Structures are given as C-alpha cells and as structure tokens.
Amino acid sequence: MTARGGVKPAARRGQWQTATDVLGLIARQPGITRAAAARELRLSTSSTTEVTARLRDLHLLTETPAPSQGRGRPTTVLRPHPRGPVVLAMELRQAGWRSAAATLDGVLLDQQSTRHRSRRPDAVLAAVLAALRAGVDRAKEQYGDRLLAVSLAVAGTVREDHLMQAPTLGWNTVDLSPVVAGSGLPLLVGNDATLSGVAEARTGAAAGAGTALHLIVEVGIGGTLIIDGSPASGATGAGGEYGHIPFGDRRRTCPCGARGCWDLEIDGRALAEHLHEPEPDDPYSYAEALLQRLDERPISRAVAKVTAALATGIAGLVNAHDPEVVTLGGLAVPLRAAAPAVFSTAYSDGLMTFHRASPPAVLDSTHQQTGALRGAAAVALDHITSESALAHWSDRFS
C-alpha cells in the first residue's frame, strides 16, 4: 500500500529524519538558535533553511530573531509553534499525583497536583485512576487534537501499560490503560526514578554524559542507567530496581518479597529501625523531620549509618556499570549533605582500586521536584517526534 501521492510509507518516514533531529535539539536545548542547531547537526545553510521552513509550515516551530552577537550573520531562536503539538505528563507518587502539559521544548505548562486522601491502598487506587482519567479529559478539552500522547510516571515496577508491583503503595498488578480509555491517545508508562534519570541526562546534571547512573531515595531507592540519553530498561522494561539488590540484612524480608533488599537500609524505615522506633506511616516525611534534628546525637548516628549504606551501595553500582557521572535525587541529597565525610569514605572504600584515583562525580540532581514529570514529558516528546509520527502529523496539512 502506498501513502498519499504514491509515496511508500517507509520512504515518507525517511524524509523526516533531519526534522526529528532538529526537534530533539529543541527539547534538549530550549532556546537553541538556528545557527547552533546547524552546527550540532552538521547541516548546511540550505538544508537548515529547508527543514526549518518545513517545520514552520507544519506548525511545529517558530523562529524569532536571536539577540545580536555583534558581527556575523544574524540568526533566529527556534521555539515550539503556539498551535503545535503537546503531550500530557503525569506522575503517581507516594503522597499523591501531579500533572503538566509540555510543548516541544519540554517546558511544563498548567502544572497541577493532588494529595491522596486515604491511606488504604484499594481506596487510593480507585480514586487515582479516576483522577488521572479526569486529568486526561481536561487536557483534551483544553488542547483538542494538539494533545498527542499521555506519559505516566509511577512509583513501582512497570511493564508496558501495567504497574506490576508497587510494594510501598501496597499495590500489585494494576492495568493503567483505563487512564486513556476512549481518548484515542497512546499511554506511555515508566518508573518514576527511571524517568527522573532521563530528565537529568537530557537537561540536568548528567547532560552531555554518555553513561550516567541516576538514583533517587524516597520510600526505598530506585534509579536507572542512562546510555546516550535513554534508559537501559531491561528485557521487559523492569530494569533499574536497584533497591531490590541484596545489599542489606538478609534476615529482613522486603515488601517486594525478596530478602536483604537495599531499600530497607536507606530511607525513613531504616532510620526508625536504628532509633528503635516503630516503622513510620510516611517514611519520607519522617526522614525529612529527623534531618532537621541532627544536633541530637542518636539521630546523627542513625543518619550516618544510613548515609554509609547509601554510599556503599552506590560504589557497588559504579563498579558494575562504570558510569561517567552519578546523580542523586530525593532524600539522597540531604542524607549526603548531613554526613559528607561518612558518605565520601564509604563511597571511596566501596570502589575498586582503579576507580579511586578518578571516581565518577556524584552530583545533586538539577530537577529535584520535577524530574519524573520532565522525564515523562521527554519520553512522550520522543514518541510524537519520531519520523513516523511527524509523517502522520503532516497529513493534517495535506
């Protein structure tokens, strides 16, 4: 079968490779100029002019004069077209959910958030699925057929459009497809820590690194290995469950079903264990409160133990993955700041000898609060700016 005009579909898709590359740059470097894009992509002036003109005609980008840089040929700034496509990014968190629309440069718009009103997993699940679906309906009403995809970050193990296991939320297998049922929109689902890592690799602290390890501590620890801007997600999409590596006490059973999980050694539950206190209902808030009381010796000792466990595990992952840089989010940031000498010593001691002379830098994340949303948006933008997706969008203007 041939497409409109007698051009075979594969050939039509091939026409969009440069356009895909240009739009990818706009997402990674918002505000990039036409001249800078041409240099990065090694495009001739005529090729750059041609592709940007085509993208303007298709309501994908606009150009505005760039600030003068003195002598030299003037250039323009490439920005998303005001009538161009958008995606909806959503994040399901321990305490609630939030959402934002995103344009082709990854800028988040219309951010909204809601807290869970119940601690009962079944009640929360029913309410959340209904709320997320309502959010999709609102976005469709606001953006109409410009809304092209929904991307959902969840705090658990995912496979395609299913949440397979979320021990800290008390959920097992959950079909998330009802979030977009009847909307005609594709649903992209990813682990929240993985998507936070995507955000750091694209526009955050790991930007420019070919290989980066991202870790985030909230209730337990999650993360991802990012290679050339994309996560190493494993055979079924469930990669990056670092919290369930047996770096911990083998006598303890994790809610995931495994024994000795690192998860149990590095968050508010671990702090409570060291302080001989009951497991908190909200481990994240509990840990935040303790980190404000470091002048109390029992608390500072507990924080030091958790920080050492965190740093030792990071060293093990560095030995395994050999990243250029490590980025940290969530509670990992204040834990390291609370006991920097402990962290440094434990990290160094856990590294193989050849790493110690020049260990990968451990950096605080740039997108601390919005990482998962930004990562979800980035994945959705990849989806709608693929060659085949751009060919489909162009049909509107035929």
Side-chain angles (χ1 to χ4, degrees):
M1 180 181 292
T2 58
R4 188 187 307 248
V7 180
K8 293 181 180 179
R12 286 183 76 235
R13 287 196 296 272
Q15 297 172 4
W16 295 99
Q17 178 61 61
T18 303
T20 293
D21 294 340
V22 170
L23 294 175
L25 274 181
I26 292 173
R28 286 174 168 80
Q29 301 179 42
I32 192 171
T33 65
R34 184 203 284 198
R39 286 195 299 271
E40 286 227 19
L41 298 176
R42 299 181 180 180
L43 297 175
S44 66
T45 300
S46 60
S47 294
T48 307
T49 299
E50 179 184 358
V51 71
T52 53
R54 190 196 315 184
L55 293 174
R56 286 198 312 271
D57 291 344
L58 295 177
H59 293 174
L60 289 167
L61 63 75
T62 60
E63 297 184 78
T64 56
S68 175
Q69 300 295 321
R71 293 183 178 182
R73 182 176 297 177
T75 186
T76 59
V77 175
L78 306 180
R79 303 190 188 281
H81 197 285
R83 296 194 298 279
V86 297
V87 297
L88 180 65
M90 310 182 100
E91 180 186 7
L92 176 54
R93 300 168 56 82
Q94 307 296 332
W97 65 273
R98 53 190 176 184
S99 67
T103 48
L104 289 175
D105 57 359
V107 172
L108 300 181
L109 309 171
D110 306 319
Q111 294 190 51
Q112 299 184 23
S113 61
T114 302
R115 294 186 65 84
H116 299 319
R117 295 182 179 180
S118 171
R119 301 297 299 178
R120 290 174 46 234
D122 54 345
V124 168
L125 178 59
V128 162
L129 291 179
L132 293 178
R133 177 53 203 265
V136 171
D137 290 341
R138 283 195 300 271
K140 273 192 70 73
E141 183 176 347
Q142 180 173 358
Y143 296 105
D145 63 0
R146 294 170 53 208
L147 180 64
L148 299 186
V150 177
S151 187
L152 175 61
V154 296
T157 306
V158 301
R159 183 178 298 168
E160 296 180 345
D161 56 2
H162 282 67
L163 174 62
M164 302 306 296
Q165 191 174 34
T168 57
L169 289 170
W171 301 342
N172 289 312
T173 304
V174 178
D175 180 5
L176 297 169
S177 62
V179 170
V180 294
S183 69
L185 295 169
L187 176 66
L188 309 171
V189 182
N191 173 266
D192 58 348
T194 298
L195 292 172
S196 293
V198 170
E200 292 304 316
R202 301 288 181 89
T203 60
T211 304
L213 175 66
H214 178 69
L215 298 166
I216 183 168
V217 177
E218 290 193 347
V219 180
I221 186 167
T224 187
L225 180 70
I226 301 289
I227 301 174
D228 295 331
S230 298
S233 55
T236 64
E241 291 292 347
Y242 293 125
H244 303 291
I245 296 175
F247 286 164
D249 185 348
R250 295 284 294 171
R251 295 171 298 180
R252 301 180 66 189
T253 301
C254 178
C256 79
R259 288 184 174 274
C261 288
W262 190 27
D263 252 13
L264 303 178
E265 309 295 325
I266 43 75
D267 64 6
R269 295 168 297 179
L271 290 171
E273 178 78 12
H274 291 312
L275 293 169
H276 307 292
E277 294 184 356
E279 183 174 311
D281 289 336
D282 184 348
Y284 191 91
S285 297
Y286 174 84
E288 284 187 314
L290 290 182
L291 286 165
Q292 303 301 313
R293 297 163 52 193
L294 293 173
D295 55 330
E296 299 176 34
R297 189 164 179 78
I299 293 176
S300 65
R301 284 199 299 261
V303 167
K305 290 178 182 178
V306 168
T307 301
L310 173 65
T312 299
I314 292 172
L317 294 177
V318 167
N319 292 337
H321 290 314
D322 190 28
E324 295 175 44
V325 66
V326 180
T327 55
L328 300 180
L331 288 171
V333 173
L335 283 169
R336 182 171 69 141
V342 171
F343 184 96
S344 179
T345 299
Y347 179 50
S348 179
D349 287 350
L351 292 173
M352 298 170 70
T353 302
F354 80 94
H355 274 306
R356 290 181 189 163
S358 182
V362 181
L363 306 176
D364 294 349
S365 299
T366 298
H367 304 304
Q368 284 289 323
Q369 299 301 318
T370 60
L373 273 183
R374 291 182 184 279
V379 168
L381 291 174
D382 288 349
H383 180 79
I384 70 166
T385 58
S386 68
E387 293 175 65
S388 57
L390 290 180
H392 184 69
W393 172 267
S394 73
D395 287 343
R396 303 180 181 210
F397 300 84
S398 299

